[in-house]
Amino acid sequence: MVSISNSIKRVVTIFILRPNKLPRPKPDHGHESISKSLSKNEFQVGVFRRCATMPTFPNHWAGISGSIEEEDASPLDAALRELREETNVGELFEEYFLREKEHASGAVSGDGNGRCVGDNVNGMIRSHIKAGLHVDVISKGSRGAFGGRTIRVYPFALTLPDAEMRHHVSQNLWSEIVMRGTEHDEMKFLTLDEFFDLNPCVPDLKLAFHHATSGAYLDLPDEVRKWEKDRINGAASLARMAISLAAKYSDENCSLGSYIIATNDINHKKCSMALSIAMLRPSTVPIVNIMKEFEKRMQLETKKQDIEKDLLNSLSSDGLKCVELGVDAVMTRYNEWESMKQRQTENTYTSKVFVVGTFSRSSTFKFIIEQFTKKLEENRKNSTDPSKTASKIQIICSQSTPGDEGKLMAADIPDASWLSDDDFAHELRNGHINIVIVGADCILHEGRGVVNKVGTAGLASMCKKSDVPIICCADMWKLWDDIHPPPLEDIFELIPMDLFDRVLVPTD
């Protein structure tokens, strides 16, 4: 399912969002149109016209953009470098930092010259820049170095601080943004309506903007927006919901695609429903992968009912393969525990309860436990050894703050219980948990890591120190098709692969 192409040219593009100078309409909680207007007019978008001498897309409007170089550790590092090279935004953030310090303490906090430490400014910029799902542009019509190649665009939105209490300060400061370098000959800030009508633009500029802003300005059904805010269900469950939503609203793509995305020819297109859904939850890779597959089949004019049925079946079948691997891992650990229990002496003690722990909420874990207990019961019925009937199984879920998904996980499984994260850690350190099983939202290419709920890395480290095996189970839809991790929402983190004893993914 995962294919990494060496023919991809990787670039970044950054959209600078500046607080709008226009007076803001007063919110009226009884009228949704006021809320939409407020959001739409909140920022202006910075655009830059490429010089006539540029080898690709001369005289076209773009964001701040450039190639990801070998020295760049990540797309984000490339984006920050491009901002420094092509604008003075870094210096303005430094000035903003100083003004904030002056307002807060009445004195400048910084080095001996009264200037702030560069790390503080870099940290401030990083806190205001947000990554979106990458966009693949096949640029057959372009001339120059990229002609005929796929350009993978990693979009970012840099939202300049508003500082409402000192709104005049930030407005005046951000009006001082200037261009640097030789790539652009004009810069301007546009309202969103002006931006969406702008031409000529580099290919898929407006699509990249929607990705950078995670679809915030797409006109989507309330049902889709409600799904977007779901932080309770696991990745597999959300992916199944996404399939049904894409099928339900796919016929309304033309009216729901929001703003026209201009290409470099006379044709225009709009965001499809499937790809719109994908950009809403870029960290949850099975959603991204399955929505891309949905769109691919729609382009082949496959009936949406058939697509929905096939993809739901694929999720189920791949999930079952993953569950089988998880059951085998738990059963192996259980058999080891049984052997230790039978060998125990007066000087050693093994609990009569086999304890399985987990973190966050995962339908994969639920099915693993269901199949494990079923298989265990079958083994006991077929066994002539009466001692095997004495063992008990206990399922403990860590609370999983923030979000408390562990409480819901405990409610999903009969006779399961949950503990606070601290109490769960205490049980782990004291050897009262025999194995920990977690799911994943993403498995990176070539062992670069696993994406899962914030707190998983700390749990995995604790398991290592406590000599308790921790297993990560994921189906093939969670395999990521790029050398760089997906954009991470605040509730997710990247966990090094070696913190897990095993990462189980079906091979086919």
Side-chain angles (χ1 to χ4, degrees), residues 6 47 68 102 107 132 139 157 198 247 267 312 357 396 415 470 473 488:
N6 293 324
V47 291
I68 299 178
E102 289 173 346
S139 183
L198 183 66
N267 297 318
L312 287 173
I396 299 179
D415 301 323
I470 178 169
C473 299
L488 297 185

Side-chain angles (χ1 to χ4, degrees), residues 144-160:
F146 301 161
R149 299 178 66 185
T150 295
I151 305 173
R152 178 158 291 178
V153 180
Y154 299 82
F156 293 85
L158 174 63
T159 304
L160 302 178

Side-chain angles (χ1 to χ4, degrees), residues 178-385:
V178 296
M179 296 183 298
R180 286 177 174 165
T182 59
E183 292 188 14
H184 308 110
D185 59 14
E186 185 178 348
M187 173 191 72
K188 57 185 176 181
F189 281 83
L190 305 175
T191 66
L192 290 185
D193 283 335
E194 291 170 336
F195 171 69
F196 293 129
D197 288 335
L198 183 66
N199 276 302
C201 299
V202 297
D204 286 342
L205 178 70
K206 292 149 192 178
L207 177 60
F209 172 82
H210 284 306
H211 278 242
T213 54
S214 298
Y217 299 100
L218 288 172
D219 187 9
L220 297 173
D222 290 342
E223 189 176 5
V224 174
R225 289 298 183 189
K226 182 178 180 181
W227 168 88
E228 176 192 7
K229 297 175 182 178
D230 188 331
R231 296 297 186 273
I232 300 301
N233 286 294
S237 296
L238 289 172
R240 297 182 72 87
M241 297 178 202
I243 293 171
S244 298
L245 287 171
K248 180 177 180 179
Y249 292 106
S250 61
D251 290 341
E252 303 180 38
N253 283 346
C254 291
S255 60
L256 292 172
S258 185
Y259 305 107
I260 291 177
I261 302 163
T263 61
N264 60 333
D265 56 28
I266 61 174
N267 297 318
H268 297 281
K269 57 183 178 180
K270 294 188 178 183
C271 296
S272 71
M273 182 54 61
L275 296 185
S276 296
I277 290 173
M279 73 176 72
L280 300 179
R281 299 296 299 272
S283 303
T284 312
V285 166
I287 294 172
V288 174
N289 286 339
I290 211 120
M291 289 296 96
K292 286 183 177 180
E293 182 65 22
F294 191 104
E295 177 64 14
K296 178 181 177 181
R297 298 191 188 188
M298 283 291 291
Q299 294 298 320
L300 297 174
E301 298 185 353
T302 307
K303 292 182 179 179
K304 65 177 183 179
Q305 293 85 354
D306 294 338
I307 300 175
E308 181 180 14
K309 180 179 178 181
D310 289 346
L311 292 181
L312 287 173
N313 287 339
S314 177
L315 271 178
S316 298
S317 61
D318 287 339
L320 287 175
K321 294 175 184 177
C322 175
V323 168
E324 290 173 2
L325 293 175
V327 171
D328 289 343
V330 178
M331 185 61 72
T332 298
R333 179 62 174 170
Y334 176 81
N335 290 334
E336 293 172 352
W337 173 79
E338 280 281 9
S339 298
M340 291 174 58
K341 189 177 67 169
Q342 292 174 9
R343 294 195 305 268
Q344 71 180 9
T345 65
E346 292 182 358
N347 297 324
T348 62
Y349 172 75
T350 302
S351 171
K352 292 184 179 181
V353 179
F354 181 76
V355 182
V356 183
T358 192
F359 181 80
S360 193
R361 193 185 193 191
S362 167
S363 58
T364 299
F365 177 77
K366 174 186 175 183
F367 294 134
I368 287 174
I369 295 304
E370 287 179 355
Q371 293 302 313
F372 168 66
T373 53
K374 181 179 179 181
K375 188 174 183 178
L376 205 59
E377 189 61 31
E378 291 175 353
N379 291 346
R380 287 171 175 169
K381 288 181 180 179
N382 297 329
S383 175
T384 57
D385 185 353

Side-chain angles (χ1 to χ4, degrees), residues 10 52 83 95 130 174 412 423 459 465 503:
R10 291 175 166 82
L83 279 169
E95 184 64 28
K130 181 178 180 293
W174 303 131
D412 291 340
D423 287 345
L459 173 64
K465 294 177 182 178
V503 176

